[in-house]
Amino acid sequence: MNSAAVAIKSIDLDLSHPNILWVVMPFMAAGSLQSIISHSHPNGLTEPCIAVVLRDTLYALSYLHGQGHLHRSAITTSSSSSSSLKFTDVAGTPYWMAPEVIHSHTGYSFKADIWSFGITALELAHGRPPLLHLPPSKSMTNPSKRPNADKLLKHPSFKNRKGTDFLVKNVLQGLPSVEKRYKESKGNLHEDDDDPSMQVKQRRISGWNFNQDG
Amino acid sequence: MKGLFKSKPRTPADVVRQTRDLLLFVDRSPETRESKREEKMSELFKNIRELKSILYGNSESEPVSEACAQLTQEFFKEDTLRLLIKCLPKLNLEARKDATQVVANLQRQQVQFKLIASDYLEKNMDLMDILIVGYENQDMALHYGAMLRECIRHQIVAKYVLNSPRMKKFFDYIQLPNFDIAADAAATFKELLTRHKSTVAEFLSKNYEWFFAEYNTKLLESSNYITRRQAVKLLGDMLLDRSNSAVMTRYVSSRDNLRILMNLLRESSKSIQIEAFHVFKLFAANQHKPADIVSIFVANKSKMLRLLEDFKIDKEDEQFEADKAQVMREIEAL
């Protein structure tokens, strides 16, 4: 366990903190569902697989909301080794943000997470976020008309007893790890490390001359 | 028999009135360990939590605009805000946080399409003085700071604060050793100088001499890296805003200002260099350069061109490259 791989992400919080903030997280070898879908399932997942992902997301939202936490833009990620879904956060991701978060004049509530959940469901089915130039359904922009996570869990779609093993078998089987997928995509670039233009050193400018001629 | 007379559910106005009564009790009673006081405090905390729940909703329900309007109307009918601000130091941490959120939310609540918070604050501006001086109290600073930042969303309040003698204190607050408090003060300072554009333009024109003297010496030339970086970024935001074009013209006609920006351009921090460039380019682009500024450009021409030639940013930015090319052309032409 001590040798378990971890993902280390440095977050430059711009001016809000004098140091770089390092976040140590469990390493999700399979990477984000978004990258998995774009790599191996560009037309989206099948309905049974979607149901597994969405059900586990709802359990996480139900738990977090019970703890009083908001999750302003909720996205799931996965791990091939532990066969579990982890719940991550991409704050400020506009595709997944509920309208009342974007227009946050009066604050927002747990219902903002339900909006993000809906967008994620559409992405799992279509392979991408819904078309942005089409107006969203009027009723769903009203937070009070959205159900909460516990109500959604009662929907028949989630009565399916299939577990995450089903998901591993149908989505993750044969999938290269996130490092390999990254190297594949990086290999498409024609970047040459020996490019002379990269060798340009930053020459220090010595002091300015502020003396004024008489 | 008691069951026959079920108490009517409290209206939002009832919650406000009871909160106000409890605040009055807390305000008047001395700090003692008597059980009655603790009971009152506990009830006060519950009421403040209830106010927050009405305004923000909870996991079961969304806020109801009629209830919010009733709450807001009753809240500003009398001195509830004054009492809340005054009694904040006596509350526990959770209640302070709830109270801060309540005050923040109330600044945005409309009653019959009017922001009645603004009317109340216009008649009670001394409350802003309390909030500003809160930066000097380590326990209160972040709560009062958050309240203040919401209150200055009202133009009339921002104008009062900008023209207050306490405005000068912000130059010290944003360099306080407690980083959280300094960052909060910096956020308020930025809000004051960017939100209400015509008010800011008027303030900067009228107070040009002392304001930019303080800005240069205390902020741009501060020994603190964070302060310098924040200050040069905010300076760029202010001068590049069209509302402040008269102030900008004046700023880029000063030899001392140019010297400071040129020194920032030589910083080892790329972030500071980039922000400094956005201000420096205004000096170069000035079509009515004073003679003493021209002479500095001429004296440092080759060094400037070499610095700009080597100056590259990480991600490709067409606008930046175009600006840089323009600046280099202006300098070469001198």
Side-chain angles (χ1 to χ4, degrees):
Chain A
M1 210 59 193
N2 289 337
S3 61
V6 296
I8 301 178
K9 179 181 181 183
S10 74
I11 301 175
D12 182 0
L13 298 174
D14 197 47
L15 297 177
S16 60
H17 199 278
N19 300 314
I20 303 296
L21 176 66
W22 294 87
V23 179
V24 181
M25 302 171 285
F27 182 58
M28 304 285 109
S32 73
L33 269 173
Q34 186 179 42
S35 67
I36 291 166
I37 287 173
S38 66
H39 181 274
S40 306
H41 302 274
N43 296 316
L45 304 180
T46 61
E47 277 191 29
C49 295
I50 293 170
V52 174
V53 174
L54 295 184
R55 181 196 60 202
D56 283 4
T57 304
L58 285 171
Y59 281 131
L61 279 176
S62 177
Y63 172 79
L64 288 172
H65 291 171
Q67 299 293 309
H69 299 298
L70 295 188
H71 220 267
R72 285 179 293 163
S73 54
I75 294 176
T76 52
T77 186
S78 68
S79 161
S80 61
S81 57
S82 65
S83 300
S84 67
L85 292 172
K86 292 287 190 291
F87 200 54
T88 188
D89 177 17
V90 185
T93 311
Y95 290 158
W96 287 267
M97 286 178 78
E100 70 271 17
V101 177
I102 295 172
H103 317 290
S104 62
H105 305 300
T106 57
Y108 44 85
S109 75
F110 304 100
K111 296 300 178 68
D113 283 334
I114 302 301
W115 175 274
S116 304
F117 175 81
I119 300 296
T120 300
L122 288 168
E123 188 194 2
L124 293 172
H126 295 283
R128 63 190 180 283
L131 298 174
L132 295 182
H133 62 278
L134 298 179
S137 161
K138 279 289 186 182
S139 66
M140 290 309 293
T141 60
N142 184 345
S144 65
K145 291 187 175 166
R146 294 177 215 146
N148 64 25
D150 290 328
K151 277 185 185 150
L152 285 171
L153 276 165
K154 294 180 167 65
H155 192 276
S157 301
F158 304 121
K159 293 294 168 59
N160 186 333
R161 297 312 303 164
K162 290 184 171 64
T164 50
D165 289 345
F166 175 84
L167 193 71
V168 171
K169 182 181 172 188
N170 288 275
V171 175
L172 304 182
Q173 196 89 339
L175 178 76
S177 72
V178 65
E179 311 106 300
K180 287 175 184 160
R181 299 205 304 273
Y182 176 74
K183 281 167 185 167
E184 279 180 24
S185 67
K186 191 180 178 183
N188 295 335
L189 302 177
H190 303 298
E191 193 162 10
D192 188 356
D193 289 331
D194 295 325
D195 187 342
S197 67
M198 306 286 287
Q199 304 288 334
V200 175
K201 285 190 207 171
Q202 186 86 24
R203 288 174 289 175
R204 300 302 308 159
I205 298 295
S206 59
W208 302 113
N209 175 9
F210 293 122
N211 293 323
Q212 202 163 354
D213 300 322
Chain B
M1 285 299 293
K2 192 171 182 181
L4 290 177
F5 302 96
K6 268 201 175 107
S7 61
K8 190 175 58 175
R10 296 192 300 167
T11 67
D14 289 334
V15 183
V16 174
R17 280 191 285 268
Q18 188 172 2
T19 303
R20 186 158 57 229
D21 290 343
L22 289 162
L23 286 166
L24 280 168
F25 175 88
V26 167
D27 184 42
R28 289 168 184 163
S29 71
E31 298 267 2
T32 58
R33 297 295 301 172
E34 59 173 305
S35 61
K36 185 188 180 188
R37 179 186 166 85
E38 281 178 29
E39 188 181 319
K40 293 280 195 180
M41 291 293 279
S42 177
E43 198 172 355
L44 175 57
F45 299 160
K46 282 179 192 157
N47 273 275
I48 294 172
R49 174 59 60 90
E50 178 70 18
L51 293 175
K52 178 181 142 177
S53 182
I54 293 167
L55 292 169
Y56 286 92
N58 53 36
S59 58
E60 299 302 320
S61 61
E62 291 301 304
V64 178
S65 36
E66 177 55 31
C68 294
Q70 281 180 30
L71 189 160
T72 306
Q73 192 154 33
E74 181 63 36
F75 193 94
F76 290 113
K77 194 181 289 180
E78 294 185 38
D79 265 337
T80 318
L81 180 59
R82 179 177 299 275
L83 281 165
L84 197 53
I85 289 173
K86 194 176 174 190
C87 293
L88 204 73
K90 301 180 185 183
L91 310 184
N92 69 15
L93 179 58
E94 280 307 308
R96 288 177 188 171
K97 287 200 249 179
D98 288 345
T100 302
Q101 286 181 270
V102 166
V103 172
N105 187 289
L106 288 171
Q107 306 311 314
R108 304 163 186 240
Q109 290 290 340
Q110 294 190 2
V111 177
Q112 285 151 28
F113 309 106
K114 279 191 66 187
L115 289 172
I116 65 173
S118 183
D119 297 337
Y120 175 85
L121 292 177
E122 186 172 6
K123 300 184 178 79
N124 294 274
M125 284 298 191
D126 60 307
L127 294 178
M128 297 306 105
D129 299 331
I130 296 172
L131 298 181
I132 294 169
V133 176
Y135 281 117
E136 300 170 23
N137 180 330
Q138 196 140 330
D139 292 332
M140 289 295 106
L142 296 184
H143 304 298
Y144 282 165
M147 289 183 182
L148 176 62
R149 202 154 41 258
E150 288 296 323
C151 290
I152 60 175
R153 293 170 63 91
H154 305 297
Q155 185 266 339
I156 196 101
V157 179
K159 185 167 187 172
Y160 173 85
V161 174
L162 282 168
N163 292 286
S164 158
R166 298 188 200 280
M167 184 64 190
K168 288 186 166 114
K169 283 187 168 283
F170 275 96
F171 291 92
D172 303 316
Y173 293 155
I174 66 186
Q175 299 190 75
L176 286 168
N178 181 309
F179 187 82
D180 290 339
I181 296 177
D184 191 285
T188 303
F189 188 67
K190 180 188 175 188
E191 190 76 2
L192 280 166
L193 291 166
T194 54
R195 172 173 285 274
H196 297 286
K197 298 188 184 299
S198 61
T199 302
V200 171
E202 184 188 344
F203 166 78
L204 292 177
S205 292
K206 214 161 61 178
N207 299 275
Y208 180 92
E209 294 296 338
W210 76 259
F211 181 84
F212 283 107
E214 294 279 275
Y215 204 96
N216 287 354
T217 58
K218 287 194 168 175
L219 305 186
L220 293 178
E221 296 186 297
S222 167
S223 59
N224 183 304
Y225 162 82
I226 295 294
T227 302
R228 291 199 305 280
R229 181 172 163 177
Q230 282 175 333
V232 67
K233 171 74 166 75
L234 178 55
L235 178 66
D237 291 343
M238 286 190 286
L239 298 183
L240 285 159
D241 194 301
R242 281 172 311 178
S243 309
N244 298 328
S245 59
V247 169
M248 184 268 283
T249 300
R250 197 169 169 187
Y251 191 88
V252 301
S253 300
S254 158
R255 182 178 169 279
D256 278 344
N257 295 345
L258 176 58
R259 173 180 58 81
I260 290 169
L261 266 300
M262 285 171 66
N263 283 333
L264 289 169
L265 213 51
R266 283 188 62 246
E267 289 254 351
S268 55
S269 161
K270 180 62 73 67
S271 299
I272 288 185
Q273 282 186 309
I274 291 169
E275 299 302 342
F277 174 79
H278 290 313
V279 181
F280 175 77
K281 74 188 184 195
L282 300 174
F283 288 86
N286 183 10
Q287 297 305 306
H288 303 94
K289 296 184 187 67
D292 56 348
I293 285 196
V294 172
S295 69
I296 289 180
F297 272 104
V298 169
N300 295 278
K301 188 172 183 175
S302 62
K303 286 179 180 174
M304 278 180 184
L305 292 175
R306 197 186 334 141
L307 182 146
L308 292 171
E309 182 70 44
D310 295 339
F311 191 17
K312 300 203 163 41
I313 57 180
D314 298 330
K315 43 187 176 179
E316 204 164 334
D317 186 337
E318 284 181 14
Q319 185 60 55
F320 176 82
E321 292 301 321
D323 287 346
K324 201 177 80 161
Q326 174 72 24
V327 168
M328 293 179 75
R329 279 197 297 274
E330 295 283 349
I331 295 173
E332 279 163 0
L334 293 174

